[in-house]
Amino acid sequence: MRRKEFKIEQEEEIREFLQGMSFGFLGTSDEQGAPRVTPLNFVYDQGNFYFHGSHAGGKMESIRQQQQVCFTVADEYALIPSYFSDPELACPATAYFKSVTAYGQAEIVEDSTEKAAVLSLFMQKLQPQGGYAPIVADDPKYRSRLKGVAVVRIVPEELTAKFKFGQNLKEDERAGVTKGLAERNGERDAETLEMMKKYCPYHS
């Protein structure tokens, strides 16, 4: 069942989440419709997703056969036990998270300048401390390497975002979850409480 209260439509919210994440799951299928899910690193830039890898292999073969793909990024903040909000029923047990799923076309990037720009974004995300020569398309150090790596652009035709932080709870249930998180004080519980305040501002 889709819960509209968890849906996020603000582009800035979605972009901020995606730029803070480095890992997602690519869903592809071949001409016979056989599904495939591949975990991989990604960057998000100007509304498009990018990933890179070998020119060979099942993932790239699937894309050449069927360009329609989906791509999902998710971050689990906290597991919420049932007893935070109900002393008996198991039903309230859940997880609080953010997720984004894109559906669209996967396009193999051929232009070396675009490849260099995308791979530079990867380095900024995965190695922000620097320590490498800038990736430039006409640099002899990178020219053959850029040719040897596959870069794929996913152009979303549909993008959905779901941020779940107790928006559907009644006041007493939300108070129970808030109290439980504060007392447990787990690794991301304080962060989860901040998200609850952000997305349930009238119930904090």
Side-chain angles (χ1 to χ4, degrees), residues 91-108:
C91 305
T94 189
Y96 286 175
F97 62 90
K98 293 182 180 181
S99 69
V100 170
T101 298
Y103 303 88
Q105 297 284 319
E107 303 170 349
I108 298 175

Side-chain angles (χ1 to χ4, degrees), residues 26-170:
L26 173 70
T28 58
S29 61
D30 59 23
E31 291 180 330
Q32 288 71 45
R36 179 189 185 97
V37 175
T38 306
L40 44 77
N41 292 117
F42 78 98
V43 292
Y44 181 72
D45 184 55
Q46 298 184 32
N48 298 321
F49 295 83
Y50 292 88
F51 65 88
H52 66 90
S54 170
H55 285 286
K59 174 178 78 255
M60 295 302 295
E61 185 62 30
S62 292
I63 289 172
R64 292 186 183 97
Q65 293 180 20
Q66 173 56 265
Q67 285 186 278
Q68 196 71 24
V69 302
C70 69
F71 189 73
T72 296
V73 182
D75 188 16
E76 184 178 77
Y77 278 65
L79 296 177
I80 308 298
S82 61
Y83 52 77
F84 275 8
S85 57
D86 193 293
E88 295 182 355
L89 292 178
C91 305
T94 189
Y96 286 175
F97 62 90
K98 293 182 180 181
S99 69
V100 170
T101 298
Y103 303 88
Q105 297 284 319
E107 303 170 349
I108 298 175
V109 177
E110 303 291 352
D111 180 73
S112 60
T113 299
E114 184 176 359
K115 277 188 172 184
V118 169
L119 294 174
S120 295
L121 292 176
F122 270 102
M123 292 303 295
Q124 291 168 23
K125 176 176 279 192
L126 301 176
Q127 192 175 311
Q129 70 273 24
Y132 58 91
I135 304 173
V136 181
D138 59 1
D139 188 331
K141 294 190 297 292
Y142 287 116
R143 192 177 297 129
S144 64
R145 289 173 170 83
L146 287 171
K147 185 176 181 179
V149 68
V151 172
V152 178
R153 178 197 313 111
I154 301 174
V155 181
E157 297 167 351
E158 178 186 356
L159 190 146
T160 61
K162 183 177 179 181
F163 293 3
K164 180 180 179 181
F165 291 98
Q167 297 95 316
N168 62 318
L169 296 180
K170 297 177 181 177

